[in-house]
Amino acid sequence: MAISKDLYPSQEDLVYEEEIIRNPFSLKLWWRYLIAKAESPFQKRFIIYERSLKALPGSYKLWYAYLREKLDIVRNLPVTHSQYESLNNTFERALVTMHKMPRIWVMYLQTLTVQKLITRTRRTFDRALCALPVTQHDRIWEPYLVFVSQEGIPIETSLRVYRRYLMYDPSHIEEFIEFLVKSARWQESAERLASVLNDDKFYSIKGKTKHKLWMELCELLVHHANVISGLNVDAIIRGGIRKFTDEVGILWTSLADYYIRKNLLEKARDIYEEGMMKVVTMRDFSVIFDVYSRFEESTAAKRVEMMSSSDEEGETEENGVEDDEDVRLNFSLSVKELQRKILNGFWLNDDNDVDLRLARWEELMDRRLALSNSVLLRQNPHNVEQWHRRVKIFEGNAAKQILTYTEAVRTVDPMKAVGKPHTLWVAFAKLYENHKDLVNTRVIFDKAVQVNYKTVDHLASVWCEWAEMELRHKNFKGALELMRRATAVPTVEVRRRVAADGNEPVQMKLHKSLRLWSFYVDLEESLGTLESTRAVYEKILDLRIATPQIILNYAFLLEENKYFEDAFKVYERGVKIFKYPHVKDIWVTYLTKFVKRYGKTKLERARELFEHAVSMASSSAPSDAVRTLYLQYAKLEEDYGLAKRAMKVYEEATKKVPEGQKLEMYEIYISRAAEIFGVPRTREIYEQAIESGLPHKDVKIMCIKFAELERSLGEIDRARTLYKYASQFADPRSDPEFWNKWHEFEVQHGNEDTYREMLRIKRSVSASYSQTHFILPENMMQKDKLVDVEEAKDELKKAGLPEDDMAALERQLVAPTSTATDAVKDGGRRVGFVIAGSQFSENQVKPLTGNGEDIDLPDENDGESDGEDRVEIAQKEVPAAVFGGLARKREEDGEEAEEGGENGAAKKLGALERIKRQKLVQ
């Protein structure tokens, strides 16, 4: 064969050829030669590869490069091209020396797989597995499985390959099962999947759970029930139901579907019923019930369709066959046809069961509520509410209701019950009562009171219901006897026996049930006598189970029957038994009743009671309970005692009540003092309130009221001083109301200097609050929290901030009148009514306080009145409210004395008053 001249070495190749001739076994020289000829045609490189491989047949590098180039050449050629055969021969030649190289085998096997040479490819895979060590078989099995999974590969070949592969690596059995399912090999796939589920050591490499594998097996067994044999499907699915609690309803429906496919419809119904009676979740129950209802509906519809078609066939046969013909003599009929004709019309062989199927379906729909309730009771058989709902489901069917109640009281354990188990017994008894069966009603109640309930209150409720039943049927003596029996104290022998057992039932504690005794007392008050009712109340007190309400009820009972002293003794026992806050109502009622009963006849005893109540409240009661007692005490003194003692009570109350009620208490104190002693007496109370440490907000309110009082009495300077004192608690930005009042006050009663002074103080206070807000810590500037100006200034000094000149000047001016009380007491004047105006000392030279800030305006008639050296000042009568109620009472007494004559007046008046009157007459 002639070789083309282009394939001969060129002039440039002589260098490489000479080196190769000198050393033909050097891989480096051959590789350098191939790199140099990288741009040459493959035919020329082909000769170089062949020459190099002839010299170095064991070089993996040369073989791999050679095969890669040949693969690139045939990549775009059809598989029937001759180049593929040349490539296969090259691979075979390479494997003579490269049979231990898995990469060469993989390239060869992939090439054969593309060529669709099934037998040659399979044999080559087997040769590769034989040639390579076991540690490298995984590189061969991967393309091998891809090859046998292709279409066109015989199933038996693929199965044999997969079985061999499972011998090498059993963990990939899931892939084999998927292949079996894909190949419609249902029997073997089910068997393999069942073996996987039986293997406790199996671990899914695909992350499938046991539950998912169970569901796949059930799907296989159910959908191919007529193909798969040799497996106990019922046992397999029931095993899954026992093992898994999630989606049990699907497993039950799968088992029923299996029997339906086997045409065992009655068995399928039994499975549905069994599943609904055993599932414990509403989700599983809904799944089973929905499938069951569709099954019944479909079977009924199918039967209707079959009956309509069979009727048409029967009509045609009857038209074609004579009535007198004896089918037994017709030997041409088959056994099946003969059986059908002979049994035709027999009721046991009647296929027309449409009504039965429809009745089954309707009955199933009617049972839905009862079945769902059964599921909830299986979740918790001690759920009392669910038992009541079950009874309500059977409303109208007394027999089923009785059976349900019987099952309920047997099943529910009172110690584990959710709800109130005694209500089951009570409802059970009322069921018999509604049907006029009192004998069985009493039997049920008698059994109910013997049950060991969790709490005494449950047992007491049963006794009370029993007694109410007797009352409804006019058996009053029986009801009282039941209460006596229920409240009887257990004997010593019974207690000893129970102590020996070590488990004390609630019946031993029943005699201390407050609910039972309260019901017993109500019965005695309605049906018994006063003595029996008092005896029951005394037993309650002896057992130490009384409540404040029982004390009050007992006292009311005695008061209704005119036993007032006994009622007060009950109150005394009550206040000794209870502490605050429970005793508050007893004290209030006791004191109210006592004062109403005796009034001023037993005033000292009433005072002792009030003192005792107040002292007890002050020591142990909540602070808000003291106010009511103090107000009652003060009312007593106002009505029947002394006004001074009433004022003393009010004063003490202002110290004992809580901070939030002090302002209100002072207002009451002031109003009563003004009414009794007159308005001037309230000055002392105002001063006391301002100095008592009230919150700044309340101090400001009290100062405003005090200033209004002084203003009404004409004391303008005192009122202005109070406004100045209160200004330190009023921020002009947040409290404009205070400054508006002061502004109105100055407009009406002040002058230009006093108005400027008010504006100066307003600016000073505003500046103080501004600096305080900017510099003080946040915890001192919370909302609704007033900060004292002096405290704010102290904080500013501690922070190193210099005091401004305005504040220093203000302190010098305010120093003489720093507090409201100092201003009130200025000049040593006695507290009383003083006319606003100029006051002169004894030498008539220098005016004292007065209203020195009046605007000095010239008179219009200065020239005409030069001779007048005296100005008449209009006098104003003192308001009657200044003197109070006691003064009015004294005037009334004086008028009566004048009407009675001077002698009578002399007898009634004291010695000092008589002397004063005699001087006035002279």
Side-chain angles (χ1 to χ4, degrees):
M1 182 178 179
I3 299 176
S4 176
K5 293 183 179 181
D6 296 335
L7 301 180
Y8 283 99
S10 61
Q11 189 67 29
E12 298 173 356
D13 300 339
L14 294 178
V15 179
Y16 298 104
E17 291 288 344
E18 291 176 356
E19 291 180 351
I20 289 173
I21 291 172
R22 285 194 297 268
N23 190 3
F25 303 106
S26 175
L27 175 62
K28 185 177 180 181
L29 297 177
W30 286 108
W31 193 252
R32 187 186 303 168
Y33 193 7
L34 289 171
I35 292 174
K37 307 301 294 183
E39 302 297 331
S40 300
F42 178 73
Q43 291 295 332
K44 192 168 185 179
R45 291 171 57 81
F46 168 75
I47 295 174
I48 298 174
Y49 272 120
E50 289 292 341
R51 290 171 58 198
S52 64
L53 289 172
K54 187 176 181 180
L56 299 171
S59 174
Y60 172 77
K61 189 173 184 179
L62 291 175
W63 277 114
Y64 184 77
Y66 186 23
L67 293 174
R68 290 297 303 175
E69 289 197 23
K70 295 201 73 170
L71 281 174
D72 293 338
I73 290 174
V74 303
R75 190 176 303 279
N76 296 325
L77 298 177
V79 293
T80 56
H81 199 277
S82 60
Q83 288 290 343
Y84 273 99
E85 188 62 30
S86 174
L87 177 62
N88 293 340
N89 293 333
T90 305
F91 270 113
E92 290 291 343
R93 288 166 47 208
L95 289 173
V96 173
T97 55
M98 297 290 108
H99 59 278
K100 295 297 182 182
M101 300 298 174
R103 185 58 191 161
I104 304 297
W105 281 108
V106 171
M107 292 170 61
Y108 186 22
L109 293 172
Q110 289 177 348
T111 304
L112 292 177
T113 302
V114 173
Q115 298 177 48
K116 305 294 183 181
L117 302 174
I118 298 174
T119 303
R120 186 172 180 179
T121 305
R122 177 176 59 80
R123 290 176 179 175
T124 305
F125 271 112
D126 294 341
R127 286 169 52 200
L129 292 173
C130 293
L132 294 174
V134 179
T135 55
Q136 295 180 348
H137 280 195
D138 56 337
R139 303 183 64 178
I140 304 300
W141 276 114
E142 184 177 353
Y144 202 176
L145 295 178
V146 174
F147 164 69
V148 297
S149 299
Q150 292 179 345
E151 295 183 1
I153 306 298
I155 299 298
E156 286 298 328
T157 300
S158 301
L159 292 177
R160 291 172 184 269
V161 171
Y162 265 108
R163 292 189 187 109
R164 287 172 54 196
Y165 177 60
L166 291 180
M167 295 174 64
Y168 167 73
D169 189 1
S171 63
H172 289 76
I173 191 170
E174 292 175 90
E175 299 177 3
F176 183 36
I177 294 172
E178 291 177 359
F179 175 76
L180 290 173
V181 172
K182 187 178 180 180
S183 303
R185 295 296 180 114
W186 314 117
Q187 181 69 33
E188 187 175 359
S189 61
E191 292 176 354
R192 290 281 184 174
L193 194 53
S195 64
V196 165
L197 290 172
N198 291 330
D199 186 8
D200 295 334
K201 297 180 180 180
F202 175 76
Y203 175 75
S204 175
I205 61 174
K206 293 191 174 183
K208 293 183 179 180
T209 61
K210 285 277 188 180
H211 180 264
K212 189 172 183 180
L213 295 174
W214 269 101
M215 300 305 295
E216 291 179 0
L217 178 59
C218 291
E219 185 178 356
L220 273 177
L221 295 175
V222 171
H223 292 173
H224 309 285
N226 297 322
V227 179
I228 299 174
S229 61
L231 294 176
N232 190 348
V233 179
D234 190 285
I236 291 174
I237 297 180
R238 287 181 184 274
I241 291 172
R242 289 190 299 269
K243 191 170 184 180
F244 303 104
T245 57
D246 190 21
E247 297 184 2
V248 177
I250 298 178
L251 294 175
W252 280 110
T253 55
S254 300
L255 182 56
D257 192 13
Y258 169 77
Y259 284 111
I260 292 172
R261 293 177 186 274
K262 287 287 189 180
N263 202 23
L264 299 174
L265 302 184
E266 294 301 327
K267 182 66 175 176
R269 286 192 182 91
D270 295 341
I271 295 299
Y272 282 128
E273 293 288 343
E274 183 182 358
M276 288 191 299
M277 297 305 295
K278 287 189 175 180
V279 293
V280 294
T281 62
M282 288 301 297
R283 179 182 178 184
D284 295 331
F285 169 77
S286 300
V287 171
I288 298 174
F289 186 85
D290 293 341
V291 176
Y292 189 14
S293 61
R294 288 198 300 269
F295 164 71
E296 291 290 357
E297 186 178 3
S298 61
T299 53
K302 188 67 178 293
R303 179 60 66 184
V304 171
E305 183 181 351
M306 291 176 61
M307 289 304 300
S308 61
S309 60
S310 62
D311 290 342
E312 294 177 359
E313 292 178 1
E315 290 177 2
T316 56
E317 290 180 1
E318 288 177 0
N319 295 331
V321 180
E322 297 180 359
D323 295 338
D324 297 336
E325 181 182 1
D326 191 354
V327 295
R328 292 175 294 179
L329 300 177
N330 190 353
F331 298 103
S332 62
L333 296 174
S334 63
V335 177
K336 187 174 182 180
E337 292 178 355
L338 180 63
Q339 183 179 3
R340 185 176 61 83
K341 289 181 176 293
I342 291 175
L343 298 177
N344 187 23
F346 189 52
W347 68 274
L348 284 175
N349 195 45
D350 189 9
D351 292 336
N352 189 9
D353 57 351
V354 178
D355 295 338
L356 175 62
R357 295 176 184 272
L358 291 176
R360 279 178 175 171
W361 181 66
E362 292 176 358
E363 191 264 345
L364 176 64
M365 301 307 292
D366 294 339
R367 290 166 52 208
R368 182 183 179 95
L369 291 177
L371 292 172
S372 60
N373 181 262
S374 300
V375 175
L376 297 175
L377 286 176
R378 281 194 291 276
Q379 293 177 0
N380 184 8
H382 307 290
N383 192 329
V384 177
E385 180 62 27
Q386 293 301 329
W387 282 110
H388 284 298
R389 292 181 182 178
R390 187 172 184 81
V391 172
K392 193 174 182 180
I393 291 172
F394 300 122
E395 190 172 0
N397 190 343
K400 283 193 174 182
Q401 286 183 329
I402 291 173
L403 292 176
T404 303
Y405 274 126
T406 304
E407 184 182 1
V409 296
R410 287 178 180 174
T411 305
V412 176
D413 185 357
M415 299 300 174
K416 301 177 183 178
V418 178
K420 299 178 180 180
H422 72 279
T423 57
L424 290 173
W425 288 99
V426 173
F428 195 6
K430 285 184 178 180
L431 178 64
Y432 279 108
E433 183 185 358
N434 294 335
H435 289 81
K436 311 300 181 183
D437 190 354
L438 297 183
V439 176
N440 283 325
T441 302
R442 293 187 177 96
V443 171
I444 295 299
F445 273 121
D446 188 55
K447 291 183 178 179
V449 297
Q450 298 175 15
V451 178
N452 186 16
Y453 297 99
K454 191 173 183 179
T455 61
V456 180
D457 191 53
H458 293 170
L459 180 59
S461 299
V462 176
W463 280 104
C464 293
E465 291 288 346
W466 192 356
E468 288 179 359
M469 186 273 296
E470 297 292 350
L471 292 175
R472 285 194 294 268
H473 294 87
K474 311 301 181 183
N475 187 9
F476 303 123
K477 292 184 179 180
L480 287 173
E481 185 61 32
L482 281 175
M483 288 296 101
R484 294 190 189 100
R485 175 183 161 192
T487 56
V489 181
T491 61
V492 178
E493 183 180 355
V494 174
R495 291 180 180 177
R496 187 182 301 113
R497 192 184 311 120
V498 170
D501 294 339
N503 188 11
E504 185 180 12
V506 293
Q507 282 78 5
M508 299 300 296
K509 307 173 185 176
L510 182 63
H511 65 284
K512 289 188 177 182
S513 173
L514 180 60
R515 179 175 184 177
L516 198 64
W517 280 104
S518 300
F519 188 80
Y520 188 14
V521 164
D522 292 341
L523 283 183
E524 287 290 351
E525 289 185 7
S526 303
L527 306 175
T529 62
L530 178 61
E531 288 74 14
S532 62
T533 308
R534 292 187 66 176
V536 174
Y537 273 119
E538 291 296 332
K539 286 183 180 179
I540 294 175
L541 293 174
D542 293 341
L543 290 173
R544 296 180 178 275
I545 59 173
T547 61
Q549 188 60 47
I550 288 179
I551 297 293
L552 296 176
N553 293 342
Y554 188 13
F556 291 158
L557 174 68
L558 295 174
E559 289 174 8
E560 288 177 359
N561 292 276
K562 310 301 181 182
Y563 290 90
F564 296 105
E565 284 299 328
D566 292 342
F568 294 148
K569 290 180 181 178
V570 172
Y571 284 127
E572 289 288 346
R573 294 175 68 179
V575 298
K576 290 180 181 178
I577 293 174
F578 298 102
K579 303 295 181 183
Y580 274 95
H582 310 291
V583 77
K584 176 185 175 183
D585 294 333
I586 300 177
W587 268 121
V588 172
T589 308
Y590 180 21
L591 296 172
T592 304
K593 297 284 186 180
F594 189 88
V595 173
K596 184 179 179 181
R597 170 70 179 165
Y598 294 109
K600 61 181 180 180
T601 57
K602 294 187 177 182
L603 184 59
E604 289 302 324
R605 182 179 173 187
R607 285 172 175 169
E608 291 179 0
L609 290 175
F610 272 108
E611 291 292 339
H612 185 198
V614 168
S615 62
M616 186 176 177
S618 301
S619 60
S620 60
S623 55
D624 56 350
V626 181
R627 177 176 173 274
T628 305
L629 294 176
Y630 272 112
L631 292 178
Q632 277 188 294
Y633 191 7
K635 186 71 167 54
L636 171 71
E637 294 292 350
E638 290 180 15
D639 294 342
Y640 306 109
L642 300 176
K644 291 184 178 180
R645 291 183 65 93
M647 294 299 104
K648 185 177 181 181
V649 172
Y650 280 122
E651 182 179 357
E652 186 178 356
T654 57
K655 300 176 182 177
K656 299 294 184 181
V657 296
E659 292 293 331
Q661 297 180 356
K662 279 189 176 181
L663 178 62
E664 182 184 1
M665 201 69 223
Y666 271 115
E667 291 175 349
I668 297 173
Y669 184 14
I670 290 169
S671 64
R672 300 307 300 159
E675 183 178 351
I676 296 173
F677 293 104
V679 176
R681 177 67 183 274
T682 60
R683 283 174 170 165
E684 298 177 2
I685 305 173
Y686 275 116
E687 295 173 8
Q688 179 183 350
I690 294 172
E691 295 177 350
S692 63
L694 287 174
H696 294 164
K697 183 178 179 181
D698 296 342
V699 171
K700 181 184 65 177
I701 296 173
M702 195 60 65
C703 288
I704 293 174
K705 291 185 178 182
F706 195 6
E708 291 295 330
L709 172 66
E710 297 292 356
R711 176 183 178 183
S712 64
L713 296 178
E715 292 288 345
I716 304 302
D717 290 344
R718 294 166 66 94
R720 183 177 290 109
T721 306
L722 286 168
Y723 275 116
K724 289 180 180 179
Y725 178 75
S727 64
Q728 62 180 321
F729 308 121
D731 186 1
R733 292 169 298 179
S734 61
D735 192 7
E737 184 179 357
F738 170 81
W739 296 98
N740 291 336
K741 288 183 179 180
W742 194 0
H743 176 270
E744 294 174 0
F745 173 81
E746 294 295 347
V747 168
Q748 293 180 7
H749 305 284
N751 52 31
E752 184 178 356
D753 295 337
T754 58
Y755 189 79
R756 287 179 178 177
E757 180 67 13
M758 181 201 71
L759 295 178
R760 186 193 64 79
I761 294 174
K762 184 176 181 180
R763 288 193 300 271
S764 177
V765 173
S766 179
S768 300
Y769 272 99
S770 299
Q771 291 182 351
T772 303
H773 289 178
F774 279 114
I775 298 176
L776 287 184
E778 293 184 1
N779 61 351
M780 295 185 63
M781 302 308 301
Q782 296 176 357
K783 188 178 181 182
D784 298 333
K785 181 177 179 182
L786 297 174
V787 179
D788 192 0
V789 177
E790 297 300 328
E791 294 180 2
K793 292 178 180 178
D794 294 340
E795 292 290 336
L796 294 175
K797 290 180 181 179
K798 292 179 182 179
L801 198 72
E803 187 177 12
D804 56 346
D805 298 337
M806 190 68 181
L809 181 60
E810 178 188 357
R811 189 169 60 255
Q812 294 175 5
L813 292 175
V814 179
T817 57
S818 58
T819 62
T821 55
D822 294 339
V824 170
K825 298 176 183 178
D826 183 31
R829 288 183 292 171
R830 185 178 67 252
V831 177
F833 179 77
V834 180
I835 299 175
S838 299
Q839 294 182 1
F840 298 93
S841 60
E842 294 179 356
N843 54 12
Q844 299 288 329
V845 175
K846 186 178 180 181
L848 297 176
T849 57
N851 189 2
E853 296 181 353
D854 288 340
I855 301 173
D856 189 10
L857 297 176
D859 292 337
E860 295 179 358
N861 51 358
D862 284 343
E864 299 177 1
S865 57
D866 291 335
E868 297 180 1
D869 52 358
R870 186 176 180 183
V871 180
E872 294 184 0
I873 300 174
Q875 300 293 324
K876 186 178 180 181
E877 293 186 358
V878 180
V882 172
F883 302 102
L886 293 180
R888 289 194 298 271
K889 188 181 293 186
R890 186 178 301 168
E891 290 178 1
E892 293 174 0
D893 293 341
E895 292 176 359
E896 292 177 0
E898 290 178 0
E899 292 176 1
E902 294 182 357
N903 296 330
K907 294 180 180 179
K908 293 182 179 179
L909 296 176
L912 183 60
E913 197 66 28
R914 288 197 302 270
I915 294 172
K916 289 182 178 180
R917 290 203 172 197
Q918 290 175 2
K919 289 182 178 181
L920 289 174
V921 171
Q922 294 175 359

